[in-house]
Amino acid sequence: MSMTVKYEKEGEMHMSGGATVWFTGLSGAGKTTVCRLVEEKLASAGIPVERSDGDVVRQQLCADLGFSREDRFRNIERVTYVAKLLTRNRVIVLASFISPYRSMRDYVRREIAPFIEVYVKCSLEECIRRDGKGLYRKAINGEIAHFTGISDPYEEPEQPELVVDTERETEDASATKVVEYLVARGYIHEHF
């Protein structure tokens, strides 16, 4: 049985079911910002939506984990479990995680349906330039181990459902592309 959220106003979005939208990309690529903008657009339309951000999850759910490959995978396993529960309860989950290894993202894809991988594309040079926290500088100087893009690899998605390029488009344009994708694929419905 499919649930549709009904509204009186013309131009509102309606939901047909849950989905997990997984934002992946380098630190500083704009994942959190684009994710937050998508959340605002969906929430303002009355769509059940939850945002799961890597930095927040690390503090609340996974504070016991480090940044080794094994710990990163445990982090993703925990997040996946929560996203799976929300998705099957007809919530749009917006998950913003570097998730640097394809095997991690493949695991999430196998566990959650529907799963939409959004590659937040941005060059390493631009991410370093944007680095407000100074993390890249510390990683380059050897002060941070296992830093994605510097001392650990980032494996770009080979066939993501959607690519948003935050070097070439505004954050709002990227967020709009995500919402338009959800509408075009029938995860949410927009009536004009």
Side-chain angles (χ1 to χ4, degrees):
M1 181 168 92
S2 174
M3 176 182 128
T4 302
V5 179
K6 296 183 180 179
Y7 299 94
E8 297 298 320
K9 294 180 186 174
E10 209 172 296
E12 291 281 346
M13 286 184 251
H14 305 272
M15 187 169 166
S16 63
T20 292
V21 184
W22 195 272
F23 296 79
T24 179
L26 290 169
S27 177
K31 296 178 302 299
T32 297
T33 303
V34 173
C35 198
R36 188 178 298 121
L37 290 169
V38 172
E39 178 187 33
E40 289 170 7
K41 290 174 187 293
L42 297 181
S44 69
I47 301 294
V49 61
E50 288 292 334
R51 184 169 54 88
S52 182
D53 184 77
D55 289 340
V56 175
V57 167
R58 280 270 178 191
Q59 293 169 4
Q60 302 296 321
L61 184 63
C62 300
D64 60 320
L65 300 176
F67 289 91
S68 68
R69 186 179 181 114
E70 296 76 23
D71 280 357
R72 286 175 188 249
F73 199 89
R74 280 189 207 98
N75 180 53
I76 296 303
E77 285 177 327
R78 292 177 189 179
V79 169
T80 299
Y81 177 74
V82 173
K84 184 177 182 177
L85 291 176
L86 290 166
T87 297
R88 78 174 180 215
N89 282 285
R90 295 175 168 80
V91 173
I92 299 291
V93 178
L94 306 174
S96 173
F97 293 87
I98 293 172
S99 46
Y101 305 107
R102 288 185 194 108
S103 60
M104 288 177 174
R105 298 186 305 266
D106 289 345
Y107 166 79
V108 181
R109 187 180 294 279
R110 286 190 307 272
E111 290 294 310
I112 302 174
F115 173 82
I116 300 138
E117 185 178 37
V118 177
Y119 176 30
V120 183
K121 184 178 179 179
C122 187
S123 69
L124 178 60
E125 295 74 25
E126 177 62 14
C127 290
I128 291 171
R129 190 192 68 73
R130 294 178 181 177
D131 185 23
K133 298 177 188 173
L135 298 177
Y136 279 105
R137 188 176 314 106
K138 288 180 181 179
I140 290 167
N141 292 334
E143 298 170 44
I144 299 176
H146 307 293
F147 195 83
T148 302
I150 303 299
S151 52
D152 263 14
Y154 177 76
E155 298 171 354
E156 291 185 11
E158 293 177 328
Q159 294 183 324
E161 280 72 17
L162 186 62
V163 176
V164 295
D165 188 336
T166 60
E167 266 185 278
R168 292 180 169 72
E169 59 197 31
T170 66
E171 293 155 340
D172 192 62
S174 293
T176 298
K177 278 173 67 172
V178 175
V179 172
E180 287 173 349
Y181 180 93
L182 293 172
V183 170
R185 299 306 187 277
Y187 297 110
I188 56 177
H189 305 288
E190 191 167 18
H191 302 282
F192 296 97

